[in-house]
Amino acid sequence: MRQLEGCLERGLQEVASEQEQIKEYVQEVKRVEATLDPSQGSCQQRKRRFARLKRRLQNSGEKVRVQMAGVMGAFAAGLFCGPEVDQELRDNLDLERWFRLPKGHERRIHGRKHAGVRLVQEGATLMPALDAHKDKEEPFQAEELLGYKDAKPPRQEQEARHRREVMRRARSKKQRPILLAELERRYRDAP
């Protein structure tokens, strides 16, 4: 046991300088996180602090800090939304939290790590269906669902589904010639 303690001590001594550097990076990340917390000031104040922090990291010249600034720049566009946006979804982080539950449903449905494009294309009608159980303790009764039996998705969603189907066929080596023949026939028959 003493020998193991000695090995651990020597190992920690060898990486002490790297650990100090990592602690500084952690402090930088905490500063960035503080600019994203709505309790830390108004949106405009936090946005200015975020921009100053990004400039400071960018100008540091240190590789890791410059990379942090690059990531901050990539996320900056959606982080500080104005008052016209629903206050429940103030930034990209809130949007991601909001999508977490349906994305989990979608992952369990098809067994993959991502939710896929279906959530984006059919989200308007899919979200209420996926979240219906959140506000209800017992299973739905048939009478409760009868009002929805003839419901149709919005026109934009139907068009998105159609485009997805056409693009899927266009990517398929077997379906592409059939699709091209159909499009050519439709083009010839058009007035």
Side-chain angles (χ1 to χ4, degrees), residues 25-41 46 49-50 53 57 68 72 79-80 91 93 97:
Y25 295 149
V26 168
Q27 290 305 314
E28 296 288 7
V29 171
K30 285 181 179 179
R31 287 184 194 103
V32 173
E33 182 183 25
T35 65
L36 304 178
D37 185 2
S39 67
Q40 299 291 323
R46 293 183 296 115
R49 283 198 315 261
F50 185 86
L53 185 57
L57 291 171
M68 285 182 194
M72 289 172 72
L79 286 176
F80 303 99
D91 54 29
L93 302 173
R97 284 185 210 102

Coordinates of all heavy atoms in Angstrom, one line a residue, residues 25-41 46 49-50 53 57 68 72 79-80 91 93 97:
Y25 N -7.6 26.9 -17.2 CA -8.6 26.7 -18.3 C -10.0 26.5 -17.7 O -10.9 27.0 -18.3 CB -8.2 25.5 -19.2 CG -6.9 25.6 -19.9 CD1 -6.1 24.5 -20.2 CD2 -6.5 26.9 -20.4 CE1 -5.0 24.7 -20.9 CE2 -5.3 27.0 -21.1 CZ -4.5 25.9 -21.4 OH -3.4 26.0 -22.1
V26 N -10.1 25.8 -16.6 CA -11.4 25.5 -16.0 C -11.9 26.9 -15.5 O -13.1 27.1 -15.7 CB -11.2 24.6 -14.8 CG1 -12.5 24.5 -13.9 CG2 -10.9 23.2 -15.3
Q27 N -11.1 27.8 -15.0 CA -11.6 29.1 -14.6 C -12.1 29.9 -15.8 O -13.1 30.6 -15.7 CB -10.4 29.9 -13.9 CG -10.1 29.3 -12.5 CD -11.3 29.2 -11.6 OE1 -12.1 30.2 -11.5 NE2 -11.4 28.1 -11.0
E28 N -11.4 29.8 -16.9 CA -11.9 30.4 -18.1 C -13.3 29.9 -18.6 O -14.2 30.7 -18.9 CB -10.9 30.3 -19.3 CG -9.6 30.9 -19.1 CD -9.5 32.4 -19.2 OE1 -10.6 33.0 -19.3 OE2 -8.4 32.9 -19.1
V29 N -13.4 28.6 -18.5 CA -14.7 28.0 -18.9 C -15.8 28.5 -17.9 O -16.9 28.8 -18.3 CB -14.6 26.4 -18.9 CG1 -16.0 25.8 -19.0 CG2 -13.7 26.0 -20.0
K30 N -15.5 28.6 -16.6 CA -16.5 29.1 -15.6 C -16.8 30.5 -15.9 O -18.0 30.9 -15.8 CB -15.9 28.9 -14.2 CG -15.9 27.5 -13.7 CD -15.4 27.4 -12.3 CE -15.4 26.0 -11.8 NZ -14.9 25.9 -10.4
R31 N -15.9 31.3 -16.4 CA -16.2 32.7 -16.8 C -17.2 32.7 -18.0 O -18.1 33.6 -18.0 CB -14.9 33.5 -17.1 CG -14.1 33.8 -15.9 CD -12.9 34.7 -16.3 NE -11.9 34.7 -15.2 CZ -10.8 34.0 -15.1 NH1 -10.5 33.2 -16.1 NH2 -10.0 34.1 -14.0
V32 N -16.9 31.9 -18.9 CA -17.8 31.8 -20.1 C -19.2 31.4 -19.6 O -20.2 31.9 -20.0 CB -17.3 30.8 -21.1 CG1 -18.3 30.6 -22.2 CG2 -16.0 31.3 -21.7
E33 N -19.3 30.3 -18.8 CA -20.5 29.8 -18.3 C -21.3 30.9 -17.5 O -22.5 31.0 -17.6 CB -20.3 28.7 -17.3 CG -21.6 28.0 -16.8 CD -21.3 26.9 -15.8 OE1 -20.2 26.9 -15.2 OE2 -22.2 26.1 -15.7
A34 N -20.6 31.8 -16.8 CA -21.3 32.9 -16.0 C -22.0 33.9 -17.0 O -23.0 34.4 -16.6 CB -20.3 33.6 -15.2
T35 N -21.4 34.0 -18.2 CA -22.1 34.9 -19.1 C -23.4 34.4 -19.7 O -24.2 35.1 -20.2 CB -21.1 35.3 -20.3 OG1 -20.9 34.1 -21.1 CG2 -19.8 35.9 -19.9
L36 N -23.5 33.1 -19.6 CA -24.7 32.4 -20.1 C -25.8 32.3 -19.1 O -27.0 32.0 -19.5 CB -24.4 31.0 -20.7 CG -23.3 31.0 -21.7 CD1 -23.0 29.5 -22.1 CD2 -23.6 31.8 -22.9
D37 N -25.5 32.5 -17.8 CA -26.5 32.4 -16.8 C -27.4 33.6 -16.7 O -26.9 34.7 -16.4 CB -25.8 32.2 -15.4 CG -26.7 31.9 -14.3 OD1 -28.0 31.8 -14.5 OD2 -26.2 31.8 -13.2
P38 N -28.7 33.5 -16.9 CA -29.6 34.6 -16.9 C -29.7 35.4 -15.6 O -30.0 36.6 -15.6 CB -31.0 34.1 -17.3 CG -30.7 32.7 -17.9 CD -29.4 32.3 -17.3
S39 N -29.3 34.7 -14.5 CA -29.3 35.4 -13.2 C -28.1 36.3 -13.0 O -28.0 37.0 -12.0 CB -29.4 34.3 -12.1 OG -28.2 33.6 -12.1
Q40 N -27.2 36.3 -14.0 CA -26.0 37.1 -13.8 C -26.1 38.5 -14.5 O -25.1 39.1 -14.8 CB -24.8 36.3 -14.4 CG -24.5 35.0 -13.7 CD -23.9 35.2 -12.3 OE1 -23.2 36.2 -12.1 NE2 -24.3 34.4 -11.4
G41 N -27.3 38.9 -14.9 CA -27.4 40.2 -15.5 C -28.3 40.2 -16.7 O -28.8 39.1 -17.1
R46 N -24.7 40.6 -20.4 CA -24.0 39.3 -20.5 C -23.4 39.2 -21.9 O -22.3 38.6 -22.1 CB -24.9 38.1 -20.3 CG -25.4 38.1 -18.8 CD -26.3 36.9 -18.5 NE -27.5 37.0 -19.1 CZ -28.0 36.1 -20.1 NH1 -27.2 35.1 -20.4 NH2 -29.1 36.3 -20.7
R49 N -20.1 41.1 -21.9 CA -19.1 40.4 -21.2 C -18.6 39.2 -22.0 O -17.4 38.9 -22.0 CB -19.6 39.8 -19.8 CG -19.7 40.9 -18.8 CD -19.8 40.3 -17.4 NE -20.8 39.3 -17.2 CZ -22.0 39.4 -16.7 NH1 -22.5 40.5 -16.4 NH2 -22.8 38.3 -16.6
F50 N -19.5 38.5 -22.7 CA -19.2 37.4 -23.5 C -18.2 37.8 -24.7 O -17.2 37.2 -24.9 CB -20.5 36.8 -24.1 CG -20.3 35.5 -25.0 CD1 -20.2 34.3 -24.4 CD2 -20.1 35.6 -26.3 CE1 -20.1 33.1 -25.1 CE2 -20.0 34.5 -27.1 CZ -19.9 33.2 -26.5
L53 N -14.8 38.7 -23.2 CA -14.1 37.5 -22.9 C -13.6 36.8 -24.1 O -12.4 36.3 -24.2 CB -15.0 36.6 -22.1 CG -14.4 35.3 -21.5 CD1 -13.2 35.6 -20.6 CD2 -15.5 34.5 -20.8
L57 N -9.6 36.1 -25.0 CA -9.1 34.7 -25.3 C -8.5 34.7 -26.7 O -7.4 34.0 -26.9 CB -10.2 33.7 -25.2 CG -10.8 33.4 -23.8 CD1 -12.0 32.6 -23.9 CD2 -9.8 32.8 -22.9
M68 N -10.8 28.1 -27.6 CA -12.0 28.4 -26.8 C -12.8 29.6 -27.4 O -14.0 29.6 -27.6 CB -11.7 28.8 -25.4 CG -11.3 27.7 -24.5 SD -11.0 28.4 -22.8 CE -10.2 27.0 -22.0
M72 N -16.6 29.8 -28.9 CA -17.5 30.9 -28.5 C -18.0 31.6 -29.7 O -19.2 31.9 -29.7 CB -16.8 31.9 -27.6 CG -16.4 31.3 -26.2 SD -15.4 32.4 -25.2 CE -16.6 33.7 -24.8
L79 N -26.8 32.5 -28.8 CA -26.8 32.4 -27.4 C -27.6 33.5 -26.7 O -28.2 33.3 -25.7 CB -25.3 32.5 -26.9 CG -24.5 31.3 -27.1 CD1 -23.1 31.5 -26.6 CD2 -25.1 30.1 -26.3
F80 N -27.6 34.7 -27.3 CA -28.3 35.8 -26.7 C -29.5 36.2 -27.5 O -29.3 37.1 -28.4 CB -27.4 36.9 -26.4 CG -26.2 36.5 -25.5 CD1 -25.0 36.2 -26.1 CD2 -26.3 36.4 -24.2 CE1 -23.9 35.8 -25.4 CE2 -25.2 35.9 -23.4 CZ -24.0 35.7 -24.0
D91 N -31.9 30.9 -25.3 CA -30.7 30.7 -26.0 C -30.6 29.3 -26.6 O -31.5 28.5 -26.3 CB -29.5 31.0 -25.2 CG -29.4 30.3 -23.9 OD1 -30.0 29.1 -23.8 OD2 -28.9 30.8 -22.9
L93 N -28.9 26.9 -25.5 CA -28.8 25.9 -24.5 C -30.2 25.5 -24.0 O -30.5 24.3 -23.8 CB -28.0 26.4 -23.3 CG -26.6 26.8 -23.6 CD1 -25.9 27.5 -22.4 CD2 -25.8 25.6 -24.1
R97 N -32.1 21.9 -24.4 CA -32.8 21.2 -23.2 C -34.3 20.9 -23.6 O -34.8 19.9 -23.2 CB -32.8 22.1 -22.0 CG -31.5 22.2 -21.3 CD -31.5 23.0 -20.0 NE -30.2 23.6 -19.8 CZ -29.9 24.8 -20.1 NH1 -30.8 25.7 -20.5 NH2 -28.7 25.3 -19.9

